[in-house]
């Protein structure tokens, strides 16, 4: 996509073209702004936080009732992109099943995730059912639920194809004239009325800068590093040994489970690649931070697969086998309250930071990019970004 003659001055520069950055350049370019997007790799890529074939999207968020408008607007944007580029399957509706129990100590992103999800659904008028233990067992025989567990079923939820969503954003941005520079690493940023962005290839100048560097946030904006922890996460695809029909997307929804007796929550997806493709399951281990993405161990050891199978797969799924078909390593960038940061950099009028991960940001990224582009250009947006301000952390 580096198809335009390069030049040095832009209205807005966006550093990082993953989920949030690619959505932001799309909307900036749509608004006719001279935009430069820079990424150190060629997005979509498998080195940050936006790979692994699927991401859950749900309309009611246990992480905050205010997120519903972003989730809904994001789906609408992806459906517009599907139509515009004749792409199918950016979003696939499968429904979502969340499971929890009063006995569970596993925590998904926030305290009382299950109860807050139900409350957010009620508050926002999102269609859903609450299933008691016996209904849960009758409807989902492929899951080994216990009598104390309850379910939340949201029919409008499903999964996104993250790599295709990013590709669509960048295609739209390029078609509206954005300059997209790939395989170019930003090395330093000099603040001022005119900001200077030095890369390993060139120097660029701009009046407005957006930093959406994902897990590299602490390198790009070191003054904020005390707010973000980076965690290694592993995704696994386990073989379906029996009852393949029970794991097909038409009867098996995406799921988030706070199981009893283990420390971490699990989530996963139906068998979207046929009987041989297995199902993707992950446990949200949040016990080991890394100082920087360069330290990330990208290989998955056999012992990790065994631990995952014995503790998080075999006890909970009927029909999923021990064989791990493949795995992938990804990074979470987690803020102190598991919320997002989309705000001006303290002390700088013309630099914005967009960190929307904490393990649940993809589903909101299209609308966040749109709102951020509006705020940067006009100071306001249809969906408010007030929940994502840095001041909530009492920055000193
Ligand atoms: C395993 C896993 C599972 C998840 N599951 C879900 C889910 O089911 N549902 C959901 O909604 N969310 C989920 N999330 C969260 C979601 O994927 C993230 O919120 C989202 O991908 C974050 O996007 P981002 O734009 O912040 O980061 P990224 O997409 O990683 O983008 C950051 C970009 O910045 C670039 N960059 C960094 N430094 C530089 C530099 N110096 N110069 C140039 N470029 C640079 C990087 O190369 C990268 O492309 C999950 C995340 C992970 C890791």
């Amino acid at each position: 996509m580096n198809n335009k003659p390069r030049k040095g001055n832009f209205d807005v520069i966006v550093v990082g073209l993953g989920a949030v950055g690619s959505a932001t350049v799309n909307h900036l370019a749509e608004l006719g702004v001279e935009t430069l997007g820079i990424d150190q790799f060629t997005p979509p890529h498998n080195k940050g936080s936006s790979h692994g074939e699927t991401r859950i999207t749900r309309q009611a968020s246990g992480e905050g009732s205010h997120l519903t408008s972003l989730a809904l607007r994001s789906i609408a944007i992806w459906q517009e992109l599907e139509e515009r580029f004749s792409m199918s399957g950016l979003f696939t509706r499968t429904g979502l099943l969340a499971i929890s129990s009063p006995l569970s100590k596993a925590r998904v992103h926030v305290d009382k995730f299950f109860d807050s999800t139900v409350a957010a659904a009620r508050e926002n008028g999102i269609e859903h059912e609450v299933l008691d233990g016996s209904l849960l067992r009758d409807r989902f025989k492929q899951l080994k639920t216990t009598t104390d567990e309850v379910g939340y079923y949201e029919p409008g939820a499903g999964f996104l194809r993250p790599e295709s969503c990013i590709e669509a954003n960048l295609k739209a941005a390029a078609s509206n004239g954005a300059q997209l520079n790939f395989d170019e690493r930003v090395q330093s940023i000099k603040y001022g009325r005119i900001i200077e962005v030095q890369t390993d290839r060139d120097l660029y100048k701009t009046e407005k800068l957006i930093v959406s560097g994902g897990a590299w946030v602490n390198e790009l904006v070191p003054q904020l590093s005390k707010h973000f922890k980076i965690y290694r996460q592993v995704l696994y695809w386990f073989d379906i040994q029996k009852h393949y029909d029970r794991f097909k997307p038409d009867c098996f929804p995406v799921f988030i489970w706070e199981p009893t007796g283990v420390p971490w929550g699990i989530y996963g997806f139906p068998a979207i690649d046929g009987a041989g493709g297995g199902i993707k399951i992950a446990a949200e281990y949040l016990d080991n931070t890394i100082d920087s993405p360069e330290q990330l161990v990208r290989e998955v050891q056999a012992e990790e697969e065994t631990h995952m199978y014995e503790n998080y797969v075999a006890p909970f799924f009927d029909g999923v086998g021990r064989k791990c078909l493949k795995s992938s390593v990804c990074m979470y960038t987690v803020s102190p309250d598991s919320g997002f940061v989309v705000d001006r950099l303290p002390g700088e009028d013309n630099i914005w930071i967009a960190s929307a991960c904490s393990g649940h940001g993809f589903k909101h990224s299209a609308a966040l990019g749109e709102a951020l582009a509006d705020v940067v250009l006009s100071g306001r947006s249809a969906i408010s970004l007030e929940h994502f301000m840095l001041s909530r952390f009492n920055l000193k």
Side-chain angles (χ1 to χ4, degrees), residues 73-323:
R73 177 64 193 142
S74 292
I75 295 291
I77 292 172
W78 281 311
Q79 287 175 333
E80 284 163 24
L81 287 170
E82 281 180 353
E83 206 164 301
R84 180 164 160 205
F85 294 116
S86 305
M87 293 170 92
S88 62
L90 294 187
F91 167 60
T92 304
R93 184 172 160 149
T94 59
L96 160 91
L97 178 66
I99 304 172
S100 193
S101 148
L103 305 177
S104 170
K105 300 233 174 347
R107 178 181 183 271
V108 173
H109 306 151
V110 290
D111 291 337
K112 300 192 181 303
F113 170 83
F114 184 91
D115 295 342
S116 309
T117 299
V118 176
R122 289 188 178 137
E123 204 175 314
N124 289 289
I126 302 301
E127 186 184 348
H128 69 283
E129 287 172 76
V130 176
L131 311 174
D132 65 20
S134 68
L135 262 178
L136 192 56
R137 274 194 308 287
D138 283 355
R139 288 235 321 241
F140 298 102
K141 294 192 171 40
Q142 59 284 70
L143 303 178
K144 299 180 189 173
T145 52
T146 54
T147 45
D148 50 274
E149 283 178 315
V150 287
Y152 163 90
Y153 181 71
E154 187 187 289
F159 67 87
L160 300 159
R161 292 286 198 172
E163 291 88 348
S164 304
C165 289
I166 290 173
E167 210 178 311
N169 285 337
L170 294 175
K171 212 167 155 181
S175 73
N176 282 322
Q179 181 167 328
L180 304 175
N181 290 4
F182 297 159
D183 300 310
E184 180 165 355
R185 188 178 170 88
V186 170
Q187 295 176 320
S188 64
I189 298 167
K190 192 168 164 204
Y191 303 162
R193 195 182 65 74
I194 301 296
I195 303 155
E196 295 184 3
V197 177
Q198 178 68 56
T199 72
D200 51 8
R201 269 197 243 155
D202 227 324
L203 176 71
Y204 305 95
K205 295 184 182 177
T206 181
E207 287 178 15
K208 293 174 175 176
L209 177 74
I210 296 170
V211 181
S212 46
W216 286 264
V217 59
N218 294 337
E219 278 83 351
L220 287 162
V221 206
Q223 62 271 46
L224 296 185
S225 62
K226 63 182 166 188
H227 297 300
F228 298 108
K229 289 186 176 155
I230 315 297
Y231 292 93
R232 176 177 181 266
Q233 295 289 306
V234 186
L235 305 164
Y236 298 91
W237 284 256
F238 281 97
D239 194 25
I240 300 170
Q241 239 175 11
K242 55 179 186 176
H243 307 312
Y244 161 63
D245 280 355
R246 293 185 182 170
F247 292 98
K248 284 162 68 176
D250 56 358
C251 61
F252 188 55
V254 297
F255 60 89
I256 299 178
W257 196 340
E258 295 177 314
T260 305
V262 286
W264 309 115
I266 49 179
Y267 62 90
F269 300 80
I272 57 173
D273 293 321
I279 65 165
K280 179 176 149 185
I281 308 176
E284 232 177 14
Y285 294 80
L286 292 173
D287 45 358
N288 275 318
T289 57
I290 52 172
D291 287 340
S292 91
E294 275 58 48
Q295 284 186 351
L296 182 69
V297 177
R298 293 188 183 272
E299 298 71 38
V300 179
Q301 303 301 321
E303 305 84 72
E304 292 182 88
E305 288 176 9
T306 304
H307 185 270
M308 177 70 191
Y309 179 76
E310 288 177 356
N311 292 279
Y312 291 95
V313 179
F316 303 112
F317 300 87
D318 184 26
V320 180
R322 172 178 285 273
K323 187 171 166 198

Side-chain angles (χ1 to χ4, degrees), residues 15-21 38-41 45 48-50 55-56 184-186 212-214 216 220 233 235 267 269 330-332 356-357 359-363:
V15 176
L17 298 175
V20 181
I38 308 176
D39 202 287
Q40 61 188 336
F41 305 120
H45 57 76
S49 304
S50 298
R55 288 290 184 271
I56 291 175
E184 180 165 355
R185 188 178 170 88
V186 170
S212 46
W216 286 264
L220 287 162
Q233 295 289 306
L235 305 164
Y267 62 90
F269 300 80
C330 208
M331 288 175 285
Y332 274 6
C357 186
H360 61 105
F362 199 93
K363 69 180 80 54

Side-chain angles (χ1 to χ4, degrees), residues 21-89:
S22 66
T24 310
V25 286
N26 173 18
H27 292 289
L28 287 168
E30 201 173 18
L31 294 166
V33 176
E34 293 257 353
T35 307
L36 168 65
I38 308 176
D39 202 287
Q40 61 188 336
F41 305 120
T42 299
H45 57 76
N46 64 359
K47 299 182 178 68
S49 304
S50 298
H51 58 281
E53 303 177 12
T54 45
R55 288 290 184 271
I56 291 175
T57 179
R58 45 198 157 88
Q59 300 173 356
S61 282
E63 297 89 346
S65 183
H66 59 278
L67 295 168
T68 293
S69 52
L70 286 169
L72 294 175
R73 177 64 193 142
S74 292
I75 295 291
I77 292 172
W78 281 311
Q79 287 175 333
E80 284 163 24
L81 287 170
E82 281 180 353
E83 206 164 301
R84 180 164 160 205
F85 294 116
S86 305
M87 293 170 92
S88 62

